[in-house]
Amino acid sequence: MAKFNAADFAVTKAKPLPIIMLLDESGSMGQRLGEGIKIDVLNKAVRTMLATLSHEESQASEFLVSIIGFGGSGAHFIAGTESPVTASEVAYSDLLPSGGTPLGAALIAASQLVEDKERIPSRSYRPLVILVCDGEPNDSWEAPLNSFISSGRTAKCDRMALAVGCEEGDKAWAMLEEFVAGTDNPVWTADQAADIVKFFKFVTMSVTQRSQAKDPNKLIPAKEVLMLQSGDKAIQNIDADGIIDVEAIVIDPDENEERGFRLNRWG
């Protein structure tokens, strides 16, 4: 009779999909944009995303989350200080607007996180880095950004960006275009505060679909994610320059911070 080996019955632990958010909490984020205050809507959107990811986590899916706020005089970890934590473990503290836009400090903190194999293990899937910004950075950000997108483990990350109240051609817009360069992701724009929620719903759909794919390291193009939510007409809302109209994403009135987003499925 063969000997019993407990290892033969061990539950395989899910490979984690790291999600790193770089969130602008500069003083201008406390201003109104359309019907809402930018930072209030951002806080709601992040909480709703975390609720959704918590519900989606299982033995097959694990999301490791770190959140870095940048404003005032520097950057600081809001979640995942020592190492990223699962979505259900995040104790989110609302962003509070103050000071300038020290993006360089946030990029350095994120780079140190990604390059640390103790905090982002090699067995992880390709990380997603999300940048939300409403204005031109005012610290030394150029060199940290160039390093982040061109060298080391950070260069292999997927990157998404949301321009809050910025217009194409602004210096802030150009910075965000540089941030997503080399990916299949355009710069998203929020002309109304409510568009921030729509962007985070898109991000949530993207990462949940990745986690359920045969190869979560293979990135799902933005057009396919939009088609999942809105059908073929969504493609018509991506213009010749690749700018996405977030009206393509429908927000269900029942969606809230406690229950999360209601997501459609493939097929």
Side-chain angles (χ1 to χ4, degrees), residues 28-100:
S28 57
M29 285 292 291
Q31 297 174 358
R32 182 172 293 277
L33 182 64
E35 296 291 321
I37 303 298
K38 289 183 277 186
I39 206 156
D40 292 343
V41 179
L42 177 58
N43 285 323
K44 173 183 173 63
V46 173
R47 289 184 181 278
T48 307
M49 177 178 175
L50 291 172
T52 308
L53 296 182
S54 297
H55 296 155
E56 294 288 326
E57 284 181 327
S58 65
Q59 290 183 356
S61 302
E62 181 180 68
F63 305 104
L64 292 183
V65 179
S66 292
I67 303 175
I68 300 172
F70 58 99
S73 58
H76 65 106
F77 278 88
I78 296 169
T81 304
E82 296 299 327
S83 61
V85 296
T86 63
S88 58
E89 295 174 326
V90 174
Y92 183 74
S93 298
D94 282 351
L95 300 166
L96 299 174
S98 69

Side-chain angles (χ1 to χ4, degrees), residues 154-223:
T154 55
K156 300 177 182 178
C157 294
D158 190 24
R159 301 184 300 278
M160 297 183 182
L162 175 65
V164 181
C166 303
E167 296 183 0
E168 186 179 6
D170 290 349
K171 291 183 179 180
W173 186 282
M175 176 274 294
L176 292 170
E177 284 189 316
E178 184 177 355
F179 179 77
V180 299
T183 74
D184 290 327
N185 301 313
V187 175
W188 286 67
T189 181
D191 295 324
Q192 301 288 325
D195 294 337
I196 299 171
V197 179
K198 296 174 183 178
F199 169 74
F200 274 88
K201 181 171 185 178
F202 168 82
V203 174
T204 306
M205 288 193 295
S206 179
V207 296
T208 55
Q209 292 305 318
R210 269 187 62 191
S211 71
Q212 297 162 15
K214 291 183 178 180
D215 180 10
N217 273 324
K218 184 178 180 180
L219 306 179
I220 301 174
K223 289 183 180 181

Side-chain angles (χ1 to χ4, degrees), residues 20-25 66-71 73-78 100-114 119 129-133 137-141 144-145 148 154 175 179:
I20 302 165
M21 305 183 209
L22 309 182
L23 306 179
D24 188 346
E25 55 179 349
S66 292
I67 303 175
I68 300 172
F70 58 99
S73 58
H76 65 106
F77 278 88
I78 296 169
T101 311
L103 175 62
L107 289 168
I108 291 171
S111 179
Q112 292 172 342
L113 171 65
V114 174
R119 294 193 283 173
V129 184
I130 303 158
L131 173 57
V132 177
C133 191
N138 62 348
D139 65 350
S140 299
W141 59 272
L145 176 57
F148 195 93
T154 55
M175 176 274 294
F179 179 77

